[in-house]
Amino acid sequence: SSDLIINKSRTLISTILIGSLISILCSCATLPSTTAPLNKNISWSARQKQTRQITHWKLQGAITVRTPKQALTANINWQQQSRRRYHIYLFGPLGIGSVIIRGQPSLVTLQNADGAIFKAATPEHLLQQELGWTLPISNLYYWIRGLPVPGLPAKKQFDSYHHLIYLQQNGWCIHYLQYTGVNNQDLPSKLSLQYPHLSLHVIISRWDIS
């Protein structure tokens, strides 16, 4: 009947609109920072010294996790308060609901969408134990800023402005695909991390180091 056709049409239009809205929201959540890198012509030692002065920050973006069994995507809000104090909030279409990771010296907690809290000595062990995959959070304290972890062997490659563009360290291979200008210096806004049987892709839409 005509009513049935109209109802089906309305359902189809609603589905298309909802799908389009979801696509728009997802694309907004994963847009990289639009500020171009400053590309100052400085040495690696000078760039490294400047970046090391950033010890606390807030960032927003998106992360994709790929394992042989699954591919997951989530938004990420990360607040770093000091070397071992941080708050990382993963939410969105992760497949497991929201996850809050809180770090402090000698203790890391993970709170899942049901409010259950789990504890461990390191974030890597905790994530592997509870989610079945891990983020190298301890090393990401350095890697996310475009720095190698001090004291660990590393293979490094740079561009002509001495941005770190490739880093091999602690079993991980990190490709720095894009930098953005933040408070008169350049920070990574897109990077890819590879580990045996695990791949991470991070897009940072906003840095706040004020």
Side-chain angles (χ1 to χ4, degrees):
S1 67
S2 59
D3 289 341
L4 180 60
I5 293 174
I6 291 173
N7 288 335
K8 286 184 176 180
S9 298
R10 286 175 177 171
T11 301
L12 178 59
I13 292 171
S14 297
T15 302
I16 293 172
L17 288 175
I18 291 171
S20 300
L21 180 59
I22 291 172
S23 297
I24 292 170
L25 290 173
C26 290
S27 64
C28 289
T30 58
L31 281 175
S33 300
T34 54
T35 305
L38 302 175
N39 288 339
K40 293 182 179 179
N41 194 7
I42 60 177
S43 67
W44 165 240
S45 60
R47 189 175 294 284
Q48 189 174 215
K49 182 179 180 179
Q50 183 184 47
T51 307
R52 281 177 175 169
Q53 294 175 357
I54 303 170
T55 56
H56 61 277
W57 62 80
K58 295 179 183 178
L59 66 79
Q60 299 174 4
I63 183 169
T64 299
V65 181
R66 295 184 182 275
T67 72
K69 296 182 179 180
Q70 57 186 341
L72 306 170
T73 301
N75 297 315
I76 180 170
N77 286 350
W78 179 347
Q79 182 175 354
Q80 190 78 30
Q81 299 166 329
S82 64
R83 173 67 183 88
R84 298 191 182 278
R85 291 189 183 276
Y86 52 85
H87 180 283
I88 298 174
Y89 179 36
L90 300 171
F91 62 99
L94 188 64
I96 55 172
S98 61
V99 171
I100 300 174
I101 306 160
R102 293 184 176 91
Q104 53 186 308
S106 303
L107 179 65
V108 181
T109 63
L110 182 151
Q111 180 177 332
N112 65 20
D114 296 326
I117 297 177
F118 306 90
K119 301 178 181 180
T122 68
E124 293 79 15
H125 178 75
L126 184 58
L127 286 168
Q128 186 65 52
Q129 174 182 297
E130 301 303 328
L131 304 183
W133 48 267
T134 193
L135 297 174
I137 292 175
S138 300
N139 291 335
L140 275 171
Y141 173 76
Y142 296 96
W143 295 345
I144 202 72
R145 292 176 288 162
L147 294 171
V149 179
L152 293 180
K155 293 182 179 180
K156 303 180 289 289
Q157 293 180 12
F158 307 92
D159 65 10
S160 58
Y161 298 100
H162 295 101
H163 297 110
L164 188 63
I165 59 172
Y166 175 77
L167 174 65
Q168 185 176 338
Q169 192 172 44
N170 205 31
W172 287 83
C173 295
I174 303 103
H175 295 266
Y176 292 88
L177 307 174
Q178 182 174 300
Y179 280 81
T180 189
V182 182
N183 287 21
N184 204 35
Q185 59 185 299
D186 292 339
L187 291 173
S189 56
K190 185 183 294 185
L191 54 158
S192 178
L193 303 93
Q194 309 292 327
Y195 192 75
H197 312 300
L198 179 62
S199 174
L200 307 175
H201 193 75
V202 182
I203 296 178
I204 300 171
S205 57
R206 179 176 180 178
W207 274 101
D208 183 356
I209 58 173
S210 57

